[in-house]
Amino acid sequence: MGNKSILVVDDEKNIRLTMSHALETLDLPVQTAVNGEEALEKLQEGSFGLVFLDLKMPGMDGMEVLRHIKDDWPKIRVIIITAHGTIESAVEAMKLGAVDFIRKPFSPSEIRDLASQVLEREALDEESAIDYRSLIELTKRHISDRSFSDARETVQKAIGADPAQPEAYNLLGVLYEIKEDELEAQKFYRLALEVDPTFKPARVNLERTTSWAKFGEIDIGSNNTDMDIEDEK
C-alpha cells in the first residue's frame, strides 16, 4: 500500500477517535470523515489504500459510499463496520467488493490486527501463495476485487493444500451464496462442519441460510468479522 492513508468513516466521534489512535501505530496517515459525503470529498482529494466504513450513517449510508468507492477507486480496500442489531445485506456488500467486516464493540488490537491482515494481502501474488493460509488470504483479496472466478480457483487450491481445514469450505459456500446458489452454499457450509464441527462461521452461515426468516450473520472466517444481514432475495 506504500504510504497511502487510512480513512475512518463513522458518525460517532468516539469511534473515530478510538480507531484513529489504534491505527496510528501502523505508521500510516489516518484521516476521518463524519459521513458519506465528507468521505467521498476526502477520497477525491487524497490517496487512500484502506477505508473503515460504517454502514449505518445519517444521509448517505455506507452501502452507497461502498458503491462509489468500488466504481471510482476499485483498488481501495474497504472494511465494513457494523453495530450489533444492524440488519444489512453482507452478501451485497461482498458483491460490491467489501474486503472484510468488523462489528462494534471492538478493541484497538482487533482494529490493528484486521488492518494489518488486509494490508498484508496486498503483498501476495499467485506464484508465492502456495501454502494454505496465503491461499485463503488471496481468496479474500479476489473477493474484494469482485474477481469471483479467481476466488473460486484460489480457494480450491487452498482445499488441495490442506483439505482438513474448514475455512476454505466456508469461503466456497460464501462464493456460491454470492452467486445466489443457496443449495450449493449450504452443501459447503455442511462440509466445513464435517471437517470441524466447532467451526462457528460455517455453523452461523448454515443456520442463517436454512432459517425461514433468513436473519443472521454471514461470516467469512476472520476474527470478529461477522455481520447481521437480511436476505433480500
Side-chain angles (χ1 to χ4, degrees):
M1 192 174 100
N3 59 356
K4 289 184 178 178
S5 302
I6 299 173
L7 180 63
V8 175
V9 188
D10 198 296
D11 61 309
E12 294 181 53
K13 183 178 181 181
N14 63 322
I15 295 290
R16 295 195 304 275
L17 286 171
T18 298
M19 296 186 68
S20 296
H21 290 149
L23 293 166
E24 279 171 2
T25 58
L26 298 178
D27 293 326
L28 290 168
V30 180
Q31 296 190 42
T32 63
V34 301
N35 54 40
E37 291 82 0
E38 185 183 5
L40 294 179
E41 286 175 13
K42 293 206 170 184
L43 287 164
Q44 286 167 353
E45 295 166 0
S47 179
F48 295 90
L50 178 61
V51 176
F52 281 89
L53 177 63
D54 190 17
L55 271 184
K56 210 73 175 171
M57 296 182 292
M60 185 186 296
D61 69 7
M63 204 66 81
E64 190 175 346
V65 176
L66 176 60
R67 289 189 186 95
H68 281 291
I69 292 173
K70 299 317 285 189
D71 285 344
D72 297 337
W73 304 279
K75 290 301 179 185
I76 292 179
R77 303 305 179 198
V78 180
I79 297 173
I80 295 295
I81 306 166
T82 181
H84 179 70
T86 302
I87 298 174
E88 291 284 353
S89 174
V91 173
E92 183 185 353
M94 291 180 75
K95 282 181 181 177
L96 291 170
V99 66
D100 236 318
F101 306 93
I102 192 161
R103 190 169 168 183
K104 301 173 187 173
F106 40 71
S107 69
S109 63
E110 287 167 347
I111 288 292
R112 280 193 298 271
D113 290 348
L114 183 54
S116 298
Q117 185 183 57
V118 169
L119 297 178
E120 284 164 8
R121 287 176 198 162
E122 301 306 298
L124 294 171
D125 59 49
E126 301 291 343
E127 278 75 39
S128 65
I130 53 173
D131 64 285
Y132 179 83
R133 179 48 47 195
S134 296
L135 288 163
I136 289 293
E137 293 302 318
L138 191 57
T139 297
K140 291 177 180 179
R141 198 177 86 195
H142 285 322
I143 291 172
S144 173
D145 288 333
R146 292 182 282 185
S147 302
F148 300 124
S149 61
D150 290 338
R152 280 190 291 275
E153 186 178 325
T154 311
V155 81
Q156 292 282 8
K157 287 181 184 176
I159 291 169
D162 191 347
Q165 297 293 329
E167 189 173 15
Y169 301 109
N170 183 63
L171 275 175
L172 199 48
V174 169
L175 285 163
Y176 274 110
E177 196 172 345
I178 287 171
K179 286 179 68 179
E180 300 186 359
D181 188 342
E182 281 197 350
L183 289 177
E184 279 296 296
Q186 290 163 15
K187 181 176 82 176
F188 283 101
Y189 294 149
R190 288 190 177 97
L191 192 51
L193 288 170
E194 284 179 26
V195 170
D196 181 356
T198 68
F199 189 64
K200 183 185 172 224
R203 188 179 72 248
V204 165
N205 289 337
L206 182 61
E207 288 173 356
R208 175 180 46 75
T209 56
T210 55
S211 73
W212 177 80
K214 307 284 184 169
F215 289 166
E217 299 167 345
I218 190 164
D219 195 325
I220 64 172
S222 301
N223 292 332
N224 290 307
T225 55
D226 50 359
M227 178 177 174
D228 288 340
I229 74 163
E230 177 180 11
D231 188 276
E232 296 180 342
K233 294 192 282 294

